[in-house]
Amino acid sequence: MEFEGLSVDQAPPISAPIRFFVTAPLFAVLAGILIFLSDAQVLTSRYSIETIVITHAITIGFLSFVMFGALFQMLPVLAGVKISKVGIISKISYTLMLLGTFSMIFGLWLNISKLIFVSSLLLGGGFLTVIISMLIAFRGVINVTASVRAMITSLVFAFIIVLMGMHLLASYGIGKFSNLHGLFANIHSVWAIFGFAGVLIIGVAFHVLPMFYVAPRFKKFCKQKVVWLITGGLLLWLVLNVFAESYSTIAKIWVAMFFWAFSTTVYLKLNARRRKVSDVTVWYWRSAAIFMTLGTFSWAFNDFFDGKYIVIVSILIGGGFIFSIMSGMLYKIVPFLVWFHLNAKGYMTIPTMNDMINKKLATAQFVLFIISLVGFIVSFFIPSILPVFAISFIMSMAILEYNIVIPILIYAKIIKTKPEFDMSMFTMKVEK
């Protein structure tokens, strides 16, 4: 691995990101159970309550928990900025997001209005606490890299979509919907996928691919221009969607082109990496590149089919691209955090990052996940087979949970012993 450009002296406590990581697959398991219990025909509509609940069990419960957990670690390490009172902020945001997600899922599923309204406040409070804290932390950044710019941009998008999400969810809680409800829902979903998650993944990839995979660095144009071009495309899409909806496909194609270019670049860089050893995380990145290529152009041209295939588009991009990368990153980040924090405390006799993950189980988990994605797409046309792939998805997520818990148990076991080396004389420290 290459650690050039990393700031390791301001790392947050391991509990700050880990609590998010451990929880995420459990929400994915819950989403799988809800898919299994749902009427497959109903899930072919993006506007059904079942679809909304399952979508957000995945997007908030899994994807957001992984992304914000990762940001707690990456901001100090990649950007060199310190989140004030990171331990407290992590606990508060995690608690509010956890309670809010459960309240939203069961409130909508069981049609409990008060619980839905409360969930909008809990989720809004949790997300805004962490987003605002991180944006404030960026004021102290010294070296504004391409990754830093991407993270700031993604958090600005996140701030906007959270406010929209609160409004949309509260509307279900009070049973009143404005004339702009459909427009807000559209902006909320598109900016969440491409503006928040997409831009964040691009920014992180600038550092992660060279660091973990010893892949060639991204070219200057890609690092300096792509995020702004995508942001411009998303703003253009908003304007056209409001004032000239029939022309919004132009902006969609614009955004799709740059995500396709990024996906292609990722695939080629993984092929050109100096460390040729392949593992499940490489497979996740490669499959994500393929799914994103298919997904972005499907999204752009779905307008020509009156939006009929938007559920398939969501599976390709949300599941195939974002979910794949988040899953792959868990296999890298969790062992890295365990190794890093034990090493920082003076423990020398510790397992390597590769030894912390059961490779056969990781392979099985990946295969089950890909089978599930393909199965979900086929189920759009043959709804009766959906329960089979819901079960494979549940199994995949249960294995993922097991695989990331094992390194944490290793940490818990080793931390009870005495370190081999006294690190108190050095400056490296972990925030509390």
Side-chain angles (χ1 to χ4, degrees), residues 172-396:
Y172 282 98
I174 62 176
K176 294 181 180 180
F177 302 91
S178 71
N179 294 331
L180 297 176
H181 184 86
L183 176 63
F184 281 178
N186 234 4
I187 298 169
H188 173 76
S189 59
V190 171
W191 280 16
I193 291 170
F194 297 104
F196 172 47
V199 169
L200 179 60
I201 288 171
I202 290 174
V204 172
F206 294 153
H207 252 294
V208 166
L209 293 188
M211 182 178 77
F212 282 129
Y213 304 103
V214 200
R217 297 184 181 279
F218 286 79
K219 292 184 178 180
K220 187 175 181 180
F221 173 83
C222 185
K223 295 173 75 171
Q224 292 189 349
K225 305 296 183 183
V226 168
V227 168
W228 300 130
L229 290 169
I230 290 173
T231 301
L234 290 172
L235 293 173
L236 176 62
W237 172 83
L238 172 63
V239 173
L240 292 177
N241 212 42
V242 173
F243 299 105
E245 189 176 359
S246 59
Y247 294 97
S248 63
T249 303
I250 297 172
K252 285 186 173 183
I253 294 173
W254 175 271
V255 174
M257 283 176 55
F258 286 106
F259 272 102
W260 165 75
F262 168 73
S263 301
T264 303
T265 302
V266 167
Y267 200 94
L268 293 175
K269 288 192 179 299
L270 287 173
N271 287 342
R273 68 192 190 281
R274 296 200 300 272
R275 185 174 177 267
K276 293 295 184 181
V277 177
S278 185
D279 60 21
V280 70
T281 65
V282 175
W283 304 343
Y284 265 121
W285 275 99
R286 281 178 168 162
S287 62
I290 295 170
F291 278 117
M292 190 56 167
T293 299
L294 296 172
T296 48
F297 285 108
S298 297
W299 172 63
F301 292 106
N302 187 47
D303 287 349
F304 297 109
F305 298 94
D306 297 323
K308 180 180 178 181
Y309 301 108
I310 192 63
V311 172
I312 293 178
V313 172
S314 301
I315 294 170
L316 288 170
I317 299 177
F321 177 63
I322 304 174
F323 204 116
S324 290
I325 290 178
M326 294 304 109
S327 298
M329 288 308 298
L330 283 176
Y331 280 122
K332 283 293 185 184
I333 294 177
V334 175
F336 172 75
L337 287 177
V338 170
W339 174 86
F340 169 75
H341 281 272
L342 288 176
N343 201 267
K345 293 177 183 297
Y347 294 94
M348 301 292 116
T349 309
I350 54 178
T352 65
M353 290 168 55
N354 287 331
D355 291 337
M356 294 183 196
I357 299 292
N358 186 311
K359 294 179 178 59
K360 290 183 178 179
L361 278 179
T363 300
Q365 187 271 320
F366 172 80
V367 171
L368 284 169
F369 176 71
I370 297 299
I371 289 174
S372 301
L373 285 184
V374 175
F376 289 156
I377 293 171
V378 175
S379 298
F380 181 83
F381 304 98
I382 313 174
S384 60
I385 64 175
L386 181 62
V388 175
F389 299 105
I391 292 172
S392 65
F393 181 74
I394 293 169
M395 292 171 60
S396 174

Side-chain angles (χ1 to χ4, degrees), residues 2-261:
E2 295 183 356
F3 295 98
E4 181 182 347
L6 299 185
S7 176
V8 297
D9 62 338
Q10 300 187 88
I14 190 171
S15 60
I18 285 295
R19 58 170 59 97
F20 286 88
F21 296 153
V22 172
T23 305
L26 299 178
F27 275 116
V29 169
L30 177 58
I33 294 171
L34 295 177
I35 293 172
F36 181 81
L37 296 175
S38 298
D39 182 340
Q41 195 65 50
V42 171
L43 296 184
T44 58
S45 169
R46 66 172 287 194
Y47 298 107
S48 71
I49 288 296
E50 290 88 345
T51 302
I52 293 171
V53 171
I54 292 167
T55 297
H56 287 82
I58 292 173
T59 56
I60 296 179
F62 182 84
L63 301 181
S64 290
F65 270 68
V66 175
M67 285 188 280
F68 280 106
L71 280 169
F72 272 114
Q73 180 66 28
M74 289 189 296
L75 260 65
V77 176
L78 295 188
V81 298
K82 180 180 178 181
I83 302 173
S84 179
K85 302 186 185 305
V86 63
I88 296 174
I89 294 296
S90 171
K91 291 176 183 176
I92 292 174
S93 59
Y94 171 82
T95 302
L96 292 174
M97 288 169 63
L98 181 69
L99 295 174
T101 307
F102 275 122
S103 299
M104 177 201 65
I105 291 172
F106 292 107
L108 287 171
W109 194 267
L110 301 175
N111 193 27
I112 304 174
S113 299
K114 290 182 179 179
L115 195 57
I116 297 171
F117 186 78
V118 169
S119 71
S120 70
L121 299 177
L122 291 171
L123 285 172
F127 278 118
L128 293 178
T129 296
V130 63
I131 291 169
I132 292 172
S133 297
M134 289 180 175
L135 287 173
I136 291 174
F138 272 115
R139 294 188 307 172
V141 69
I142 298 174
N143 183 22
V144 183
T145 64
S147 292
V148 169
R149 286 193 295 269
M151 285 190 281
I152 293 173
T153 304
S154 70
L155 285 171
V156 171
F157 274 112
F159 181 82
I160 297 170
I161 65 172
V162 166
L163 294 179
M164 287 187 172
M166 291 177 67
H167 167 76
L168 294 168
L169 195 52
S171 298
Y172 282 98
I174 62 176
K176 294 181 180 180
F177 302 91
S178 71
N179 294 331
L180 297 176
H181 184 86
L183 176 63
F184 281 178
N186 234 4
I187 298 169
H188 173 76
S189 59
V190 171
W191 280 16
I193 291 170
F194 297 104
F196 172 47
V199 169
L200 179 60
I201 288 171
I202 290 174
V204 172
F206 294 153
H207 252 294
V208 166
L209 293 188
M211 182 178 77
F212 282 129
Y213 304 103
V214 200
R217 297 184 181 279
F218 286 79
K219 292 184 178 180
K220 187 175 181 180
F221 173 83
C222 185
K223 295 173 75 171
Q224 292 189 349
K225 305 296 183 183
V226 168
V227 168
W228 300 130
L229 290 169
I230 290 173
T231 301
L234 290 172
L235 293 173
L236 176 62
W237 172 83
L238 172 63
V239 173
L240 292 177
N241 212 42
V242 173
F243 299 105
E245 189 176 359
S246 59
Y247 294 97
S248 63
T249 303
I250 297 172
K252 285 186 173 183
I253 294 173
W254 175 271
V255 174
M257 283 176 55
F258 286 106
F259 272 102
W260 165 75

